[in-house]
Amino acid sequence: MSTTTAARRLDVTGMVRVARERVVARIREAEVVAAALSAGRNVLLEGPPGTGKTTLLRALADGAGVPLVLVEGNAELTPTRLVGHHDASRVLTEDYRAENFVPGPLTRAMTDGAVLYVEEFNRVPEETMNVLLGVLSEREMHVPRYGRVVARPTFRLVAAMNPFDAVGTARVTPALYDRSCRVAMGYQDEDAELAVVAAATEGPDPLVAQAVRTVRITRDHPELRIGSSVRGAIDTVLIALELATVRGHGAVEDDTGLDAALAALTGKVTLADGSSRTVEDVVTDIWHRAGEELGKA
Ligand SMILES: Nc1ncnc2c1ncn2[C@@H]1O[C@H](COP(=O)(O)OP(=O)(O)OP(=O)(O)O)[C@@H](O)[C@H]1O
Ligand SMILES: [Mg+2]
């Protein structure tokens, strides 16, 4: 196994090619993230839920021929969970040995030369962030009673963050921002979202259009504090298609679309403070408004 700690360049062309095949639009983001990773930089991807961050990263890692190790960031992601631990029962009989160490995602990513992708990064406890900071600076770490873990040359860290998630964005230290590059992933335009939903559902155009317009309206509706991502449109279309089958209809009727939208969206959006209506009423209005805007009867 190589023990060079320096980062090695990645196949940028391959990364961007696979991203173009699998990701709708987002070409600039794909190129910039690929270039940053190839240059040995770590990346912070900042964008609301459902904006294609994981989809893009997966495509880039596959294009580079590098494994992707995915970790969900939350308050329970302690340094031990991230780094690994010694198997407690084996320690009782064998004492602490390298062989009974169970590597966590960080150790696996470093030794496999993977891209470590930490979602919801701002929720990670500070001690855990500090472990990552150390690794970013040194590309190696010392694990007590296991030894030195050296990052293979393709190891990188990508952290994803949701700018709407006030929980702890402040905890991401300037030191980490200073050691990373930041790429913003906002909501895509309507044409791109139509293409995303059409590809994910193979639903009929009018239904896809109404579902996409509906989620787009939720994002700047005065009665909603948080709107839905494109996931809400994908769910609406998939549920509507099944519901039409259940009801024995050959096509999705408007009532069926509305029932699907209510199931898909009422849990994804959040009412604004002081709103006097129910979330069902608000989504129902938005669904009808989207239909009217698109010229449906
Ligand atoms: N540009 C895109 N191209 C193809 N699919 C997309 C695109 N954007 C979103 N999607 C689809 O939308 C869904 C959500 O995307 P993804 O999981 O990548 O979002 P995310 O930004 O990682 O979300 P989260 O912040 O919640 O983890 C997936 O089904 C994905 O296939
Ligand atoms: Mg994700």
Side-chain angles (χ1 to χ4, degrees):
M1 191 197 290
S2 161
T3 54
T4 10
T5 55
R8 174 167 65 67
R9 289 191 56 210
L10 302 174
D11 175 8
V12 233
T13 317
M15 292 165 92
V16 173
R17 180 177 43 77
V18 175
R20 279 175 177 271
E21 283 164 14
R22 292 206 218 144
V23 182
V24 174
R26 297 283 192 215
I27 292 173
R28 191 190 74 87
E29 291 89 341
E31 288 173 347
V32 173
V33 175
L37 291 175
S38 180
R41 304 304 94 186
N42 305 292
V43 175
L44 287 172
L45 276 186
E46 229 170 276
T51 45
K53 298 181 292 297
T54 304
T55 307
L56 174 64
L57 238 291
R58 225 178 250 295
L60 293 175
D62 287 353
V66 164
L68 185 76
V69 174
L70 213 141
V71 199
E72 183 65 34
N74 53 49
E76 283 78 52
L77 187 67
T78 56
T80 308
R81 289 242 172 112
L82 188 67
V83 172
H85 66 277
H86 286 87
D87 181 313
S89 60
R90 289 184 59 188
V91 167
L92 282 178
T93 53
E94 303 168 6
D95 204 1
Y96 287 94
R97 291 201 211 164
E99 303 85 74
N100 58 40
F101 180 73
V102 185
L106 174 61
T107 306
R108 279 190 283 121
M110 289 174 75
T111 42
D112 294 349
V115 173
L116 178 68
Y117 181 55
V118 186
E119 300 200 284
E120 310 272 11
F121 187 75
N122 37 305
R123 302 191 165 206
V124 171
E126 199 160 335
E127 329 67 278
T128 309
M129 285 197 191
N130 288 334
V131 170
L132 286 168
L133 261 180
V135 170
L136 295 192
S137 308
E138 309 298 331
R139 295 188 64 82
E140 62 174 64
M141 65 177 170
H142 178 77
V143 181
R145 293 181 282 215
Y146 178 62
R148 186 164 158 255
V149 177
V150 173
R152 296 192 69 173
T154 54
F155 169 76
R156 302 288 192 275
L157 173 76
V158 177
M161 291 200 290
N162 171 3
F164 298 162
D165 186 3
V167 192
T169 319
R171 284 193 290 116
V172 178
T173 66
L176 190 80
Y177 273 109
D178 199 44
R179 284 166 178 74
S180 313
C181 306
R182 175 181 170 278
V183 176
M185 303 261 291
Y187 290 120
Q188 292 182 274
D189 64 25
E190 187 151 10
D191 283 347
E193 291 198 321
L194 288 169
V196 168
V197 178
T201 64
E202 295 176 0
D205 290 347
L207 176 63
V208 168
Q210 192 168 358
V212 167
R213 181 63 63 90
T214 297
V215 297
R216 294 180 68 84
I217 295 173
T218 65
R219 291 177 204 152
D220 42 36
H221 192 280
E223 286 177 279
L224 297 177
R225 186 163 61 80
I226 301 175
S228 167
S229 76
V230 75
R231 276 199 193 103
I234 292 173
D235 290 2
T236 299
V237 173
L238 291 176
I239 295 169
L241 293 173
E242 292 299 320
L243 205 48
T245 308
V246 170
R247 291 177 175 172
H249 301 162
V252 175
E253 297 178 4
D254 197 54
D255 288 0
T256 301
L258 174 59
D259 283 334
L262 287 168
L265 301 177
T266 51
K268 293 184 176 71
V269 301
T270 306
L271 281 178
D273 293 338
S275 168
S276 54
R277 294 202 300 163
T278 65
V279 71
E280 282 79 9
D281 285 346
V282 175
V283 168
T284 300
D285 274 5
I286 295 174
W287 175 258
H288 290 136
R289 187 177 130 197
E292 282 159 22
E293 285 181 10
L294 295 163
K296 274 188 133 178

